[in-house]
Amino acid sequence: MSKELILPKRLLMGPGPSDVHPNVLKSMATPLLGHLDPEFLNIMNETMDLIRYVFETDNKLTVAMSGTGSSGMETVFVNLVEPGDKVIIGVNGLFGQRMVDVAGRAGAEVVQVEAEWGTIIDPKMIEAALKNNGPVKAIAIVHAETSTGAQQPLKEISRLAKEYDALFFVDAVTSLGGISVGVDENEIDAVYSGTQKCISAPPGLSPVSFSNKAVEALNARKTKVQSWYLDLSMIQAYWGKERFYHHTAPISMIYSLHEALRLIKEEGLGTVFERHEQNGRALQAGLEAMGLELAAQEGYRLPMLTSVKIPDNVEDANVRKMLLQRYGIEIGGGLGPLKGKIWRVGLMGYSSQRINVMQFLSALETILTELNADINTGKAVRTAEDFYLKN
Ligand SMILES: *Cc1c(COP(=O)(O)O)cnc(C)c1O
């Protein structure tokens, strides 16, 4: 016989999932409604409105796909790319690479615009790719590259997309609910996110939103969407007035997303952004005071995901193990070329709290001191506190 799950207490400060507010957990224990029950349809409608609120958009086609963030990525490409379409993708980390893979599988002819991991994609390089490649169906970019901690500015690339009549796709999995995505203001045509980063619900849904121009492109397809499950023309008929059964909505997941978004709205999007900004900058100030070096390009560092270089002579996995076993704190390691070189510290959604910043800094300092790492001791916590006092 398996035993009931009794799990250790954790502080989730990795690249996702983040900690979940108790209300959100409670919402998932709410009794099920039928997925076509009028009460549930009402919850779906409210959820769509709340997703529009965090995306800052009036886009009609705004739903939550059943599946994690990657299902949103796949939704964008399979619905808007037809075999042979040319797509420019900015690649400066793991998730840009994943977009290349997904777009290629959807039949796109992919033009990669690469930049060193940790830096941003220079819009001039996108422009050069546009000039060299003739008509392009879409330009895709990752707003918050969770694998590196870099924040990609969107405005200029969006402008280029308009100038060259291409659709503009944005991965907002980590950015949504932490920094402004501004779907309408930035004229993004197709955007997707996930629930387990700054939205702070469990993983399992992917909010997506399509502009009118993207909907026109969807309606103008010559071929059927290759994926039955992710075909938005059918899914919108389920979320829309017709309420055509497509697949059974994951009821409890929708409850959790509804509650997580409701909490964000209650706090206010602007306040939520400020909280992420403040805690992220306090953490970064503390790490630098310890003598550690931040890994992402200066001026483009995300507040909700901080990448920091691992000091010489300490072992990556050992430190993370000590953090987890002694203090219950989870952080992330590096991926790809950054494996063993950086740690990734998340302050996403409900995890973005002053108390977590202080707890982590003091735990890390204790461990690094014990391991005789070359750091400045006794500065990190004070510096972060000073940051809070001044800001
Ligand atoms: C986490 C993440 C994804 C993938 O989301 P999953 O929920 O793991 O499928 C995609 N893009 C970015 C930027 C992410 O951080």
Side-chain angles (χ1 to χ4, degrees), residues 68-70 73 95 98 142 144 146 171 173-174 196-197:
T68 64
S70 305
M73 186 188 288
F95 294 103
R98 186 175 296 181
V142 179
T146 324
D171 175 318
V173 177
T174 282
Q196 79 275 24
K197 313 271 168 105

Side-chain angles (χ1 to χ4, degrees), residues 39-305:
E39 279 298 327
F40 186 68
L41 299 181
N42 189 31
I43 292 170
M44 284 171 82
N45 286 342
E46 285 187 13
T47 305
M48 284 190 278
D49 281 342
L50 288 163
I51 298 173
R52 289 186 188 104
Y53 173 73
V54 282
F55 269 137
E56 301 165 79
T57 185
D58 293 326
N59 285 344
K60 187 163 174 290
L61 180 47
T62 301
V63 299
M65 300 301 289
S66 305
T68 64
S70 305
S71 76
M73 186 188 288
E74 195 130 18
T75 297
V76 167
F77 286 101
V78 297
N79 281 277
L80 294 176
V81 169
E82 290 187 79
D85 283 347
K86 223 172 248 180
V87 177
I88 293 176
I89 300 180
V91 181
N92 55 347
L94 181 91
F95 294 103
Q97 284 183 339
R98 186 175 296 181
M99 286 204 290
V100 170
D101 190 0
V102 170
R105 287 166 194 246
E109 196 184 307
V110 178
V111 178
Q112 295 190 47
V113 172
E114 291 174 85
E116 197 187 331
W117 285 40
T119 67
I120 57 159
I121 306 280
D122 185 343
K124 288 197 186 72
M125 290 175 65
I126 300 276
E127 186 162 25
L130 283 162
K131 284 195 173 125
N132 293 335
N133 284 286
V136 164
K137 180 73 174 279
I139 304 171
I141 205 97
V142 179
H143 190 199
E145 207 6 298
T146 324
S147 63
T148 69
Q151 176 174 340
Q152 179 68 45
L154 301 176
K155 271 254 148 63
E156 182 60 14
I157 298 176
S158 174
R159 193 192 63 72
L160 288 167
K162 302 294 161 298
E163 188 182 328
Y164 286 81
D165 197 28
L167 294 168
F168 184 38
F169 300 168
V170 172
D171 175 318
V173 177
T174 282
S175 52
L176 188 70
I179 52 177
S180 174
V181 178
V183 169
D184 287 355
E185 197 200 316
N186 290 311
E187 298 184 82
I188 300 168
D189 292 302
V191 62
Y192 58 90
S193 189
T195 43
Q196 79 275 24
K197 313 271 168 105
C198 293
I199 302 297
S200 275
L205 289 174
S206 175
V208 302
S209 185
F210 278 35
S211 72
N212 290 336
K213 198 171 149 201
V215 172
E216 281 163 25
L218 176 61
N219 294 336
R221 284 182 68 100
K222 294 186 273 304
T223 54
K224 262 191 177 182
V225 173
Q226 171 275 327
S227 166
W228 179 89
Y229 197 70
L230 301 177
D231 185 339
L232 271 178
S233 50
M234 293 194 285
I235 297 208
Q236 68 176 335
Y238 175 46
W239 284 77
K241 282 207 172 51
E242 307 89 331
R243 300 293 177 187
F244 275 131
Y245 165 66
H246 179 257
H247 66 276
T248 310
I251 311 284
S252 312
M253 287 305 309
I254 304 266
Y255 292 164
S256 76
L257 178 59
H258 182 278
E259 181 57 17
L261 293 173
R262 194 196 65 76
L263 286 166
I264 288 175
K265 189 157 185 197
E266 188 174 79
E267 185 178 348
L269 205 49
T271 314
V272 168
F273 296 155
E274 274 166 35
R275 173 165 57 78
H276 280 86
E277 176 71 17
Q278 201 185 31
N279 291 321
R281 301 311 167 209
L283 170 71
Q284 289 162 5
L287 290 168
E288 289 196 301
M290 221 186 277
L292 301 179
E293 208 184 319
L294 301 179
Q297 185 177 346
E298 200 176 349
Y300 300 94
R301 290 173 183 151
L302 291 168
M304 77 288 278
L305 193 284

